[in-house]
Amino acid sequence: MNFKLKIWRQHNAASKGKFVEYQLNDVPAEASFLEMLDILNERLVLNGDDPVSFDHDCREGICGACGLYINGHPHGRFKNTTTCQLHMRKFHDGDTITVEPWRSEAFPIIKDLMVDRSALDKLIQAGGYISVHTGGVPDANTILINKHNADLSMDAASCIGCGACVAACKNGSAMLFVGAKVSQLALLPQGEVESDDRVQKMVARMDALGFGNCSNTYACQAECPKNISVSNIARMNRYYLAAKLKK
């Protein structure tokens, strides 16, 4: 398969970036999108050019590192798919593919398609954990958990922290990410103890890091590769309001 690639090239956060076009031929249809970029980089290196920098790790749709904005969509236009799970057979021979980094004030560009997403780690450090002493590991059946809440918690826990919700949001909001992490913990007995403190700390940190506000366009849910529901945002808002009223 043959493709014309329009890729954002930027030396660092301080330099001015631009789109550079590359013609890439004879790409296997079964290659993943990241493998296609590997092929491009191999050819660039052989020609003495600087390879395209992009982030990746597990390449199994688990870690969320492969954050690329492809043809106007985070991870591409296909539902429930990370960039590493996107294959070139999903495109048409001769297509022009535009590849950009995440665009957000909270995610400064490191180089080319790589951005600094450590802001998400700082949100977790603010309160996305359980610190209360729970003793040794109990038997799985000794803590009774409502089945409905357990399912909701597991659904929220499937968030991989890729930042697609932030990139998709016109305001650069991290509400879906924070809502998922707040729900994941607060819905379980072990995390309920610190739920008030957690939601206030994470929301305050989110604002301090420069993330925008949620305006309920649902773009985050539409583009999330793990199909995280915006109901987590509503739940987080309820927790936050309740915590403020208690305080």
Side-chain angles (χ1 to χ4, degrees):
M1 300 182 72
N2 304 322
F3 301 102
K4 178 186 286 186
L5 305 175
K6 294 177 64 177
I7 298 179
W8 185 262
R9 302 301 307 266
Q10 185 171 338
H11 185 65
N12 54 44
S15 62
K16 185 176 181 180
K18 64 178 181 179
F19 283 106
V20 177
E21 292 188 1
Y22 301 97
Q23 181 64 42
L24 190 60
N25 299 328
D26 302 323
V27 178
E30 298 307 311
S32 72
F33 199 88
L34 297 187
E35 289 170 339
M36 179 273 293
L37 292 177
D38 289 337
I39 294 172
L40 171 65
N41 279 343
E42 288 175 1
R43 297 181 184 179
L44 288 175
V45 170
L46 287 174
N47 291 330
D49 297 323
D50 189 26
V52 177
S53 295
F54 60 96
D55 211 355
H56 63 90
D57 192 2
C58 72
R59 300 199 178 201
E60 295 179 351
I62 298 172
C63 70
C66 56
L68 298 178
Y69 213 77
I70 304 168
N71 286 343
H73 297 272
H75 298 293
R77 66 182 181 88
F78 298 97
K79 292 281 291 181
N80 305 330
T81 303
T82 55
T83 301
C84 57
Q85 295 173 310
L86 177 63
H87 290 81
M88 302 315 296
R89 61 177 178 269
K90 294 289 188 178
F91 298 91
H92 297 103
D93 189 33
D95 275 355
T96 297
I97 304 174
T98 303
V99 191
E100 305 172 68
W102 284 170
R103 304 286 190 181
S104 172
E105 180 183 346
F107 295 160
I109 291 178
I110 297 174
K111 184 178 181 182
D112 296 336
L113 304 175
M114 292 184 66
V115 299
D116 181 358
R117 295 179 303 158
S118 62
L120 298 182
D121 297 326
K122 293 175 183 177
L123 289 175
I124 295 297
Q125 292 168 1
Y129 52 84
I130 296 174
S131 64
V132 294
H133 179 64
T134 58
V137 179
D139 183 85
N141 295 322
T142 58
I143 301 178
L144 299 180
I145 301 175
N146 179 281
K147 176 66 164 59
H148 178 65
N149 286 353
D151 288 343
L152 290 176
S153 177
M154 289 299 294
D155 289 343
S158 65
C159 170
I160 56 178
C162 66
C165 52
V166 180
C169 179
K170 65 180 182 180
N171 305 319
S173 173
M175 292 281 275
L176 188 65
F177 172 78
V178 175
K181 296 308 174 183
V182 166
S183 296
Q184 170 190 339
L185 298 174
L187 286 167
L188 301 178
Q190 299 92 330
E192 187 178 4
V193 179
E194 298 174 293
S195 60
D196 289 350
D197 192 47
R198 176 186 302 112
V199 69
Q200 291 179 86
K201 285 183 176 179
M202 293 188 75
V203 169
R205 189 63 169 147
M206 176 174 61
D207 293 339
L209 288 169
F211 290 102
N213 293 319
C214 175
S215 52
N216 293 314
T217 63
Y218 292 8
C220 53
Q221 177 179 283
E223 301 289 1
C224 176
K226 296 300 180 180
N227 202 30
I228 304 296
S229 172
V230 292
S231 62
N232 289 294
I233 297 178
R235 183 178 298 107
M236 180 192 69
N237 287 334
R238 291 196 297 270
Y239 286 149
Y240 184 77
L241 179 59
K244 285 295 186 182
L245 289 175
K246 290 177 186 178
K247 187 176 180 180

